Amino acid sequence: MKTKSEQSVSLVDLDRVLAAVGRHWQDACEHGDLDAARRDMQRLDAYLEQRLRLTGHDD
């Protein structure tokens, strides 16, 4: 089991990844690259599920 400090670091890293993927998804949408946008959406979904598990909100 991770300590609160390790979870905090993990959440900070995960939030940075989420932000980067979100920006990439937005760029892909703006440029009409639907394949890239779809892949980014799948990545966002996976990262969000992981974040929910880390914060104990995985109902």
Side-chain angles (χ1 to χ4, degrees):
M1 183 171 205
K2 289 186 176 187
T3 65
K4 277 209 176 273
S5 176
E6 289 171 327
Q7 284 182 344
S8 294
V9 170
S10 295
L11 287 173
V12 169
D13 292 340
L14 194 53
D15 286 344
R16 287 182 182 150
V17 170
L18 281 167
V21 174
R23 286 188 301 271
H24 190 269
W25 172 81
Q26 184 176 10
D27 289 344
C29 289
E30 289 173 358
H31 291 99
D33 189 348
L34 298 181
D35 289 332
R38 190 175 304 113
R39 286 190 304 272
D40 289 338
M41 187 57 68
Q42 290 170 343
R43 288 176 59 200
L44 282 169
D45 186 51
Y47 286 123
L48 286 170
E49 285 181 22
Q50 183 178 356
R51 191 181 196 294
L52 288 173
R53 279 193 303 277
L54 282 172
T55 58
H57 293 96
D58 57 339
D59 295 329

Short mmCIF file of all heavy atoms in Angstrom, two decimals:
data_model
loop_
_atom_site.label_atom_id
_atom_site.label_comp_id
_atom_site.label_asym_id
_atom_site.label_seq_id
_atom_site.Cartn_x
_atom_site.Cartn_y
_atom_site.Cartn_z
N MET A 1 0.83 -1.18 0.00
CA MET A 1 0.00 0.00 0.00
C MET A 1 0.88 1.25 0.00
O MET A 1 1.90 1.31 0.68
CB MET A 1 -0.89 -0.02 1.24
CG MET A 1 -1.86 1.11 1.31
SD MET A 1 -3.02 0.81 2.66
CE MET A 1 -4.34 1.78 2.05
N LYS A 2 0.49 2.23 -0.78
CA LYS A 2 1.29 3.45 -0.88
C LYS A 2 0.99 4.39 0.28
O LYS A 2 -0.12 4.45 0.78
CB LYS A 2 0.98 4.18 -2.18
CG LYS A 2 1.49 3.48 -3.41
CD LYS A 2 1.27 4.33 -4.62
CE LYS A 2 1.88 3.66 -5.83
NZ LYS A 2 1.84 4.51 -6.99
N THR A 3 2.04 5.13 0.66
CA THR A 3 1.85 6.15 1.69
C THR A 3 1.15 7.36 1.07
O THR A 3 1.06 7.48 -0.15
CB THR A 3 3.21 6.59 2.27
OG1 THR A 3 3.94 7.24 1.24
CG2 THR A 3 3.98 5.41 2.83
N LYS A 4 0.67 8.26 1.93
CA LYS A 4 0.01 9.48 1.43
C LYS A 4 0.97 10.27 0.55
O LYS A 4 0.58 10.81 -0.46
CB LYS A 4 -0.49 10.34 2.58
CG LYS A 4 -1.81 9.91 3.12
CD LYS A 4 -2.52 11.13 3.66
CE LYS A 4 -3.88 10.79 4.13
NZ LYS A 4 -4.88 10.84 3.13
N SER A 5 2.23 10.34 0.93
CA SER A 5 3.23 11.08 0.15
C SER A 5 3.40 10.46 -1.23
O SER A 5 3.45 11.17 -2.23
CB SER A 5 4.56 11.10 0.90
OG SER A 5 5.54 11.72 0.12
N GLU A 6 3.49 9.14 -1.29
CA GLU A 6 3.63 8.45 -2.58
C GLU A 6 2.39 8.64 -3.43
O GLU A 6 2.48 8.83 -4.64
CB GLU A 6 3.90 6.97 -2.37
CG GLU A 6 5.27 6.67 -1.82
CD GLU A 6 5.42 5.21 -1.42
OE1 GLU A 6 4.44 4.58 -0.97
OE2 GLU A 6 6.54 4.70 -1.58
N GLN A 7 1.21 8.62 -2.81
CA GLN A 7 -0.03 8.84 -3.55
C GLN A 7 -0.07 10.26 -4.08
O GLN A 7 -0.49 10.49 -5.21
CB GLN A 7 -1.25 8.58 -2.67
CG GLN A 7 -1.53 7.13 -2.46
CD GLN A 7 -2.77 6.90 -1.61
OE1 GLN A 7 -3.25 7.80 -0.95
NE2 GLN A 7 -3.25 5.68 -1.63
N SER A 8 0.37 11.24 -3.29
CA SER A 8 0.37 12.63 -3.72
C SER A 8 1.27 12.82 -4.93
O SER A 8 0.90 13.50 -5.88
CB SER A 8 0.83 13.55 -2.58
OG SER A 8 -0.10 13.53 -1.54
N VAL A 9 2.45 12.21 -4.89
CA VAL A 9 3.35 12.31 -6.03
C VAL A 9 2.72 11.66 -7.25
O VAL A 9 2.73 12.21 -8.33
CB VAL A 9 4.72 11.65 -5.70
CG1 VAL A 9 5.57 11.54 -6.94
CG2 VAL A 9 5.43 12.45 -4.63
N SER A 10 2.11 10.50 -7.04
CA SER A 10 1.46 9.81 -8.14
C SER A 10 0.34 10.66 -8.73
O SER A 10 0.16 10.73 -9.93
CB SER A 10 0.89 8.47 -7.69
OG SER A 10 1.93 7.60 -7.30
N LEU A 11 -0.45 11.31 -7.86
CA LEU A 11 -1.55 12.14 -8.34
C LEU A 11 -1.04 13.36 -9.09
O LEU A 11 -1.61 13.74 -10.12
CB LEU A 11 -2.44 12.58 -7.17
CG LEU A 11 -3.33 11.50 -6.59
CD1 LEU A 11 -4.04 12.01 -5.35
CD2 LEU A 11 -4.33 11.01 -7.62
N VAL A 12 0.05 13.96 -8.61
CA VAL A 12 0.62 15.12 -9.30
C VAL A 12 1.10 14.70 -10.68
O VAL A 12 0.81 15.37 -11.68
CB VAL A 12 1.78 15.74 -8.48
CG1 VAL A 12 2.55 16.74 -9.30
CG2 VAL A 12 1.24 16.39 -7.21
N ASP A 13 1.81 13.58 -10.76
CA ASP A 13 2.29 13.09 -12.05
C ASP A 13 1.12 12.75 -12.96
O ASP A 13 1.13 13.09 -14.15
CB ASP A 13 3.17 11.84 -11.87
CG ASP A 13 4.48 12.15 -11.18
OD1 ASP A 13 4.90 13.34 -11.17
OD2 ASP A 13 5.09 11.22 -10.65
N LEU A 14 0.12 12.10 -12.41
CA LEU A 14 -1.05 11.72 -13.20
C LEU A 14 -1.80 12.94 -13.70
O LEU A 14 -2.25 12.98 -14.85
CB LEU A 14 -1.95 10.84 -12.34
CG LEU A 14 -3.04 10.06 -13.04
CD1 LEU A 14 -2.49 9.22 -14.19
CD2 LEU A 14 -3.76 9.18 -12.05
N ASP A 15 -1.92 13.96 -12.85
CA ASP A 15 -2.60 15.20 -13.27
C ASP A 15 -1.84 15.88 -14.41
O ASP A 15 -2.44 16.42 -15.33
CB ASP A 15 -2.77 16.15 -12.10
CG ASP A 15 -3.85 15.71 -11.12
OD1 ASP A 15 -4.68 14.83 -11.50
OD2 ASP A 15 -3.87 16.23 -10.00
N ARG A 16 -0.53 15.84 -14.35
CA ARG A 16 0.28 16.43 -15.44
C ARG A 16 0.05 15.67 -16.74
O ARG A 16 -0.08 16.28 -17.81
CB ARG A 16 1.76 16.42 -15.07
CG ARG A 16 2.11 17.43 -14.02
CD ARG A 16 3.59 17.40 -13.72
NE ARG A 16 3.88 18.36 -12.67
CZ ARG A 16 4.85 18.23 -11.80
NH1 ARG A 16 5.65 17.18 -11.84
NH2 ARG A 16 5.05 19.13 -10.87
N VAL A 17 0.02 14.35 -16.66
CA VAL A 17 -0.23 13.54 -17.85
C VAL A 17 -1.63 13.82 -18.40
O VAL A 17 -1.81 14.00 -19.60
CB VAL A 17 -0.06 12.03 -17.54
CG1 VAL A 17 -0.54 11.17 -18.69
CG2 VAL A 17 1.40 11.72 -17.22
N LEU A 18 -2.61 13.90 -17.51
CA LEU A 18 -3.98 14.19 -17.94
C LEU A 18 -4.04 15.53 -18.66
O LEU A 18 -4.70 15.66 -19.71
CB LEU A 18 -4.93 14.20 -16.74
CG LEU A 18 -5.38 12.85 -16.24
CD1 LEU A 18 -6.04 12.98 -14.87
CD2 LEU A 18 -6.33 12.20 -17.22
N ALA A 19 -3.37 16.53 -18.12
CA ALA A 19 -3.37 17.86 -18.75
C ALA A 19 -2.71 17.81 -20.12
O ALA A 19 -3.23 18.38 -21.09
CB ALA A 19 -2.66 18.87 -17.85
N ALA A 20 -1.60 17.11 -20.23
CA ALA A 20 -0.89 17.02 -21.51
C ALA A 20 -1.72 16.27 -22.55
O ALA A 20 -1.83 16.71 -23.70
CB ALA A 20 0.46 16.33 -21.32
N VAL A 21 -2.32 15.16 -22.15
CA VAL A 21 -3.14 14.39 -23.09
C VAL A 21 -4.37 15.21 -23.48
O VAL A 21 -4.79 15.20 -24.64
CB VAL A 21 -3.53 13.02 -22.50
CG1 VAL A 21 -4.51 12.29 -23.41
CG2 VAL A 21 -2.29 12.16 -22.29
N GLY A 22 -4.94 15.94 -22.53
CA GLY A 22 -6.09 16.79 -22.83
C GLY A 22 -5.75 17.86 -23.86
O GLY A 22 -6.53 18.12 -24.78
N ARG A 23 -4.58 18.47 -23.72
CA ARG A 23 -4.14 19.48 -24.71
C ARG A 23 -3.94 18.84 -26.08
O ARG A 23 -4.32 19.40 -27.11
CB ARG A 23 -2.88 20.18 -24.23
CG ARG A 23 -3.10 21.17 -23.11
CD ARG A 23 -1.86 21.98 -22.81
NE ARG A 23 -0.72 21.16 -22.44
CZ ARG A 23 -0.43 20.78 -21.20
NH1 ARG A 23 -1.20 21.15 -20.21
NH2 ARG A 23 0.63 20.06 -20.95
N HIS A 24 -3.33 17.65 -26.09
CA HIS A 24 -3.09 16.95 -27.35
C HIS A 24 -4.42 16.59 -28.01
O HIS A 24 -4.58 16.73 -29.22
CB HIS A 24 -2.25 15.70 -27.10
CG HIS A 24 -1.75 15.07 -28.34
ND1 HIS A 24 -2.45 14.08 -29.00
CD2 HIS A 24 -0.63 15.28 -29.06
CE1 HIS A 24 -1.77 13.71 -30.06
NE2 HIS A 24 -0.67 14.42 -30.13
N TRP A 25 -5.38 16.13 -27.20
CA TRP A 25 -6.72 15.79 -27.71
C TRP A 25 -7.37 17.02 -28.33
O TRP A 25 -7.93 16.95 -29.42
CB TRP A 25 -7.58 15.24 -26.58
CG TRP A 25 -9.01 15.04 -26.96
CD1 TRP A 25 -9.53 13.99 -27.66
CD2 TRP A 25 -10.10 15.92 -26.69
NE1 TRP A 25 -10.89 14.16 -27.83
CE2 TRP A 25 -11.26 15.34 -27.25
CE3 TRP A 25 -10.20 17.14 -26.02
CZ2 TRP A 25 -12.51 15.95 -27.14
CZ3 TRP A 25 -11.44 17.73 -25.92
CH2 TRP A 25 -12.57 17.13 -26.48
N GLN A 26 -7.27 18.16 -27.65
CA GLN A 26 -7.87 19.40 -28.16
C GLN A 26 -7.22 19.80 -29.49
O GLN A 26 -7.92 20.17 -30.43
CB GLN A 26 -7.70 20.52 -27.14
CG GLN A 26 -8.38 21.81 -27.55
CD GLN A 26 -8.27 22.87 -26.48
OE1 GLN A 26 -7.54 22.73 -25.51
NE2 GLN A 26 -9.00 23.95 -26.66
N ASP A 27 -5.90 19.71 -29.57
CA ASP A 27 -5.20 20.03 -30.82
C ASP A 27 -5.65 19.10 -31.94
O ASP A 27 -5.87 19.54 -33.07
CB ASP A 27 -3.68 19.94 -30.65
CG ASP A 27 -3.11 21.06 -29.80
OD1 ASP A 27 -3.81 22.08 -29.59
OD2 ASP A 27 -1.96 20.91 -29.33
N ALA A 28 -5.75 17.81 -31.63
CA ALA A 28 -6.16 16.83 -32.64
C ALA A 28 -7.57 17.15 -33.14
O ALA A 28 -7.84 17.09 -34.35
CB ALA A 28 -6.10 15.41 -32.07
N CYS A 29 -8.45 17.52 -32.23
CA CYS A 29 -9.82 17.87 -32.63
C CYS A 29 -9.83 19.11 -33.51
O CYS A 29 -10.53 19.16 -34.53
CB CYS A 29 -10.70 18.10 -31.40
SG CYS A 29 -11.08 16.59 -30.49
N GLU A 30 -9.07 20.11 -33.12
CA GLU A 30 -9.02 21.35 -33.89
C GLU A 30 -8.47 21.15 -35.29
O GLU A 30 -8.84 21.86 -36.22
CB GLU A 30 -8.20 22.40 -33.14
CG GLU A 30 -8.89 22.94 -31.91
CD GLU A 30 -8.01 23.86 -31.08
OE1 GLU A 30 -6.83 24.05 -31.43
OE2 GLU A 30 -8.52 24.37 -30.06
N HIS A 31 -7.59 20.16 -35.45
CA HIS A 31 -6.98 19.89 -36.75
C HIS A 31 -7.71 18.77 -37.51
O HIS A 31 -7.26 18.36 -38.58
CB HIS A 31 -5.50 19.56 -36.59
CG HIS A 31 -4.70 20.74 -36.16
ND1 HIS A 31 -4.35 20.95 -34.85
CD2 HIS A 31 -4.22 21.80 -36.86
CE1 HIS A 31 -3.68 22.08 -34.76
NE2 HIS A 31 -3.58 22.62 -35.97
N GLY A 32 -8.78 18.28 -36.95
CA GLY A 32 -9.58 17.27 -37.63
C GLY A 32 -8.95 15.89 -37.68
O GLY A 32 -9.34 15.05 -38.49
N ASP A 33 -7.99 15.63 -36.81
CA ASP A 33 -7.34 14.31 -36.77
C ASP A 33 -8.14 13.41 -35.83
O ASP A 33 -7.84 13.26 -34.65
CB ASP A 33 -5.89 14.46 -36.29
CG ASP A 33 -5.11 13.18 -36.42
OD1 ASP A 33 -5.71 12.11 -36.66
OD2 ASP A 33 -3.87 13.24 -36.27
N LEU A 34 -9.18 12.81 -36.37
CA LEU A 34 -10.10 12.03 -35.55
C LEU A 34 -9.48 10.77 -34.97
O LEU A 34 -9.82 10.36 -33.86
CB LEU A 34 -11.36 11.69 -36.35
CG LEU A 34 -12.17 12.90 -36.82
CD1 LEU A 34 -13.40 12.44 -37.59
CD2 LEU A 34 -12.56 13.78 -35.67
N ASP A 35 -8.55 10.15 -35.70
CA ASP A 35 -7.89 8.96 -35.17
C ASP A 35 -7.06 9.30 -33.93
O ASP A 35 -7.12 8.59 -32.92
CB ASP A 35 -7.00 8.30 -36.22
CG ASP A 35 -7.80 7.62 -37.32
OD1 ASP A 35 -8.94 7.19 -37.04
OD2 ASP A 35 -7.30 7.54 -38.45
N ALA A 36 -6.31 10.39 -34.01
CA ALA A 36 -5.50 10.81 -32.85
C ALA A 36 -6.41 11.22 -31.70
O ALA A 36 -6.13 10.90 -30.54
CB ALA A 36 -4.58 11.96 -33.24
N ALA A 37 -7.49 11.92 -32.00
CA ALA A 37 -8.42 12.34 -30.95
C ALA A 37 -9.04 11.13 -30.27
O ALA A 37 -9.19 11.11 -29.04
CB ALA A 37 -9.51 13.24 -31.55
N ARG A 38 -9.38 10.11 -31.03
CA ARG A 38 -9.97 8.89 -30.46
C ARG A 38 -8.96 8.19 -29.55
O ARG A 38 -9.30 7.75 -28.45
CB ARG A 38 -10.40 7.95 -31.58
CG ARG A 38 -11.23 6.77 -31.12
CD ARG A 38 -11.74 5.93 -32.28
NE ARG A 38 -12.53 6.71 -33.23
CZ ARG A 38 -12.15 6.97 -34.49
NH1 ARG A 38 -11.03 6.49 -34.96
NH2 ARG A 38 -12.92 7.68 -35.28
N ARG A 39 -7.71 8.08 -30.00
CA ARG A 39 -6.67 7.46 -29.16
C ARG A 39 -6.47 8.26 -27.87
O ARG A 39 -6.34 7.69 -26.79
CB ARG A 39 -5.36 7.35 -29.92
CG ARG A 39 -5.33 6.27 -30.98
CD ARG A 39 -3.93 6.06 -31.53
NE ARG A 39 -3.33 7.27 -32.06
CZ ARG A 39 -3.47 7.70 -33.32
NH1 ARG A 39 -4.20 7.00 -34.17
NH2 ARG A 39 -2.87 8.79 -33.72
N ASP A 40 -6.44 9.59 -28.01
CA ASP A 40 -6.26 10.44 -26.82
C ASP A 40 -7.42 10.28 -25.86
O ASP A 40 -7.24 10.26 -24.64
CB ASP A 40 -6.11 11.91 -27.22
CG ASP A 40 -4.79 12.19 -27.90
OD1 ASP A 40 -3.83 11.41 -27.71
OD2 ASP A 40 -4.71 13.20 -28.62
N MET A 41 -8.64 10.15 -26.38
CA MET A 41 -9.80 9.98 -25.52
C MET A 41 -9.71 8.66 -24.76
O MET A 41 -10.03 8.59 -23.57
CB MET A 41 -11.09 10.03 -26.34
CG MET A 41 -12.34 10.04 -25.51
SD MET A 41 -12.43 11.38 -24.30
CE MET A 41 -12.60 12.80 -25.36
N GLN A 42 -9.21 7.61 -25.41
CA GLN A 42 -9.03 6.33 -24.74
C GLN A 42 -7.97 6.45 -23.64
O GLN A 42 -8.12 5.90 -22.55
CB GLN A 42 -8.64 5.25 -25.74
CG GLN A 42 -9.77 4.88 -26.67
CD GLN A 42 -9.33 3.99 -27.83
OE1 GLN A 42 -8.14 3.89 -28.13
NE2 GLN A 42 -10.30 3.35 -28.48
N ARG A 43 -6.90 7.19 -23.93
CA ARG A 43 -5.86 7.41 -22.92
C ARG A 43 -6.42 8.21 -21.75
O ARG A 43 -6.14 7.91 -20.58
CB ARG A 43 -4.66 8.14 -23.53
CG ARG A 43 -3.84 7.27 -24.47
CD ARG A 43 -2.72 8.03 -25.13
NE ARG A 43 -1.79 8.61 -24.16
CZ ARG A 43 -0.97 9.62 -24.43
NH1 ARG A 43 -0.97 10.18 -25.63
NH2 ARG A 43 -0.16 10.08 -23.51
N LEU A 44 -7.19 9.26 -22.05
CA LEU A 44 -7.78 10.06 -20.99
C LEU A 44 -8.68 9.21 -20.10
O LEU A 44 -8.63 9.32 -18.86
CB LEU A 44 -8.59 11.22 -21.58
CG LEU A 44 -7.79 12.42 -22.08
CD1 LEU A 44 -8.70 13.36 -22.87
CD2 LEU A 44 -7.13 13.15 -20.92
N ASP A 45 -9.47 8.36 -20.71
CA ASP A 45 -10.37 7.48 -19.95
C ASP A 45 -9.57 6.58 -19.02
O ASP A 45 -9.90 6.44 -17.83
CB ASP A 45 -11.22 6.67 -20.92
CG ASP A 45 -12.27 5.84 -20.19
OD1 ASP A 45 -13.00 6.42 -19.36
OD2 ASP A 45 -12.36 4.64 -20.47
N ALA A 46 -8.51 5.99 -19.52
CA ALA A 46 -7.68 5.10 -18.70
C ALA A 46 -7.01 5.85 -17.55
O ALA A 46 -6.99 5.37 -16.41
CB ALA A 46 -6.63 4.42 -19.57
N TYR A 47 -6.47 7.05 -17.83
CA TYR A 47 -5.83 7.84 -16.79
C TYR A 47 -6.84 8.30 -15.75
O TYR A 47 -6.55 8.31 -14.55
CB TYR A 47 -5.08 9.04 -17.37
CG TYR A 47 -3.79 8.67 -18.06
CD1 TYR A 47 -3.57 9.00 -19.38
CD2 TYR A 47 -2.78 8.00 -17.38
CE1 TYR A 47 -2.39 8.68 -20.02
CE2 TYR A 47 -1.59 7.66 -18.01
CZ TYR A 47 -1.40 8.01 -19.32
OH TYR A 47 -0.22 7.69 -19.96
N LEU A 48 -8.04 8.69 -16.19
CA LEU A 48 -9.06 9.12 -15.24
C LEU A 48 -9.50 7.97 -14.33
O LEU A 48 -9.69 8.16 -13.12
CB LEU A 48 -10.27 9.71 -15.97
CG LEU A 48 -10.04 11.10 -16.57
CD1 LEU A 48 -11.20 11.48 -17.47
CD2 LEU A 48 -9.83 12.12 -15.47
N GLU A 49 -9.64 6.78 -14.89
CA GLU A 49 -9.98 5.62 -14.07
C GLU A 49 -8.89 5.36 -13.03
O GLU A 49 -9.18 5.08 -11.87
CB GLU A 49 -10.18 4.39 -14.94
CG GLU A 49 -11.47 4.40 -15.70
CD GLU A 49 -11.66 3.15 -16.55
OE1 GLU A 49 -11.02 2.12 -16.25
OE2 GLU A 49 -12.45 3.22 -17.50
N GLN A 50 -7.63 5.49 -13.45
CA GLN A 50 -6.51 5.28 -12.53
C GLN A 50 -6.54 6.34 -11.42
O GLN A 50 -6.34 6.04 -10.25
CB GLN A 50 -5.19 5.35 -13.28
CG GLN A 50 -3.98 5.08 -12.43
CD GLN A 50 -2.70 5.11 -13.24
OE1 GLN A 50 -2.70 5.26 -14.44
NE2 GLN A 50 -1.59 4.98 -12.56
N ARG A 51 -6.83 7.59 -11.79
CA ARG A 51 -6.89 8.66 -10.79
C ARG A 51 -8.02 8.41 -9.80
O ARG A 51 -7.86 8.63 -8.60
CB ARG A 51 -7.07 10.01 -11.47
CG ARG A 51 -6.86 11.16 -10.50
CD ARG A 51 -7.06 12.50 -11.13
NE ARG A 51 -6.50 13.56 -10.32
CZ ARG A 51 -6.95 13.91 -9.12
NH1 ARG A 51 -7.94 13.24 -8.57
NH2 ARG A 51 -6.39 14.90 -8.46
N LEU A 52 -9.15 7.97 -10.29
CA LEU A 52 -10.27 7.67 -9.39
C LEU A 52 -9.91 6.57 -8.41
O LEU A 52 -10.26 6.64 -7.22
CB LEU A 52 -11.51 7.30 -10.20
CG LEU A 52 -12.19 8.44 -10.94
CD1 LEU A 52 -13.29 7.91 -11.84
CD2 LEU A 52 -12.74 9.46 -9.96
N ARG A 53 -9.19 5.56 -8.88
CA ARG A 53 -8.77 4.48 -7.98
C ARG A 53 -7.81 5.00 -6.91
O ARG A 53 -7.91 4.65 -5.74
CB ARG A 53 -8.10 3.36 -8.76
CG ARG A 53 -9.08 2.40 -9.42
CD ARG A 53 -8.40 1.15 -9.91
NE ARG A 53 -7.31 1.38 -10.84
CZ ARG A 53 -7.46 1.58 -12.15
NH1 ARG A 53 -8.65 1.57 -12.69
NH2 ARG A 53 -6.42 1.79 -12.92
N LEU A 54 -6.87 5.86 -7.32
CA LEU A 54 -5.90 6.40 -6.37
C LEU A 54 -6.55 7.27 -5.29
O LEU A 54 -6.08 7.32 -4.17
CB LEU A 54 -4.84 7.24 -7.10
CG LEU A 54 -3.75 6.46 -7.83
CD1 LEU A 54 -2.90 7.41 -8.66
CD2 LEU A 54 -2.87 5.73 -6.83
N THR A 55 -7.63 7.93 -5.65
CA THR A 55 -8.29 8.82 -4.68
C THR A 55 -9.44 8.13 -3.97
O THR A 55 -10.10 8.76 -3.13
CB THR A 55 -8.83 10.09 -5.39
OG1 THR A 55 -9.74 9.71 -6.41
CG2 THR A 55 -7.69 10.90 -5.98
N GLY A 56 -9.68 6.86 -4.28
CA GLY A 56 -10.73 6.11 -3.60
C GLY A 56 -12.12 6.43 -4.06
O GLY A 56 -13.08 6.22 -3.34
N HIS A 57 -12.27 6.95 -5.27
CA HIS A 57 -13.58 7.31 -5.80
C HIS A 57 -14.02 6.37 -6.92
O HIS A 57 -14.73 6.76 -7.84
CB HIS A 57 -13.58 8.74 -6.35
CG HIS A 57 -13.40 9.75 -5.28
ND1 HIS A 57 -12.17 10.29 -4.96
CD2 HIS A 57 -14.29 10.32 -4.43
CE1 HIS A 57 -12.32 11.16 -3.99
NE2 HIS A 57 -13.59 11.20 -3.64
N ASP A 58 -13.59 5.14 -6.85
CA ASP A 58 -13.90 4.18 -7.93
C ASP A 58 -15.13 3.35 -7.57
O ASP A 58 -15.06 2.20 -7.23
CB ASP A 58 -12.71 3.27 -8.22
CG ASP A 58 -12.23 2.51 -6.99
OD1 ASP A 58 -12.53 2.94 -5.87
OD2 ASP A 58 -11.56 1.49 -7.17
N ASP A 59 -16.27 3.97 -7.67
CA ASP A 59 -17.53 3.30 -7.30
C ASP A 59 -17.86 2.16 -8.20
O ASP A 59 -17.80 2.06 -9.32
CB ASP A 59 -18.69 4.30 -7.33
CG ASP A 59 -18.49 5.36 -6.25
OD1 ASP A 59 -17.90 5.05 -5.21
OD2 ASP A 59 -18.94 6.49 -6.49
#
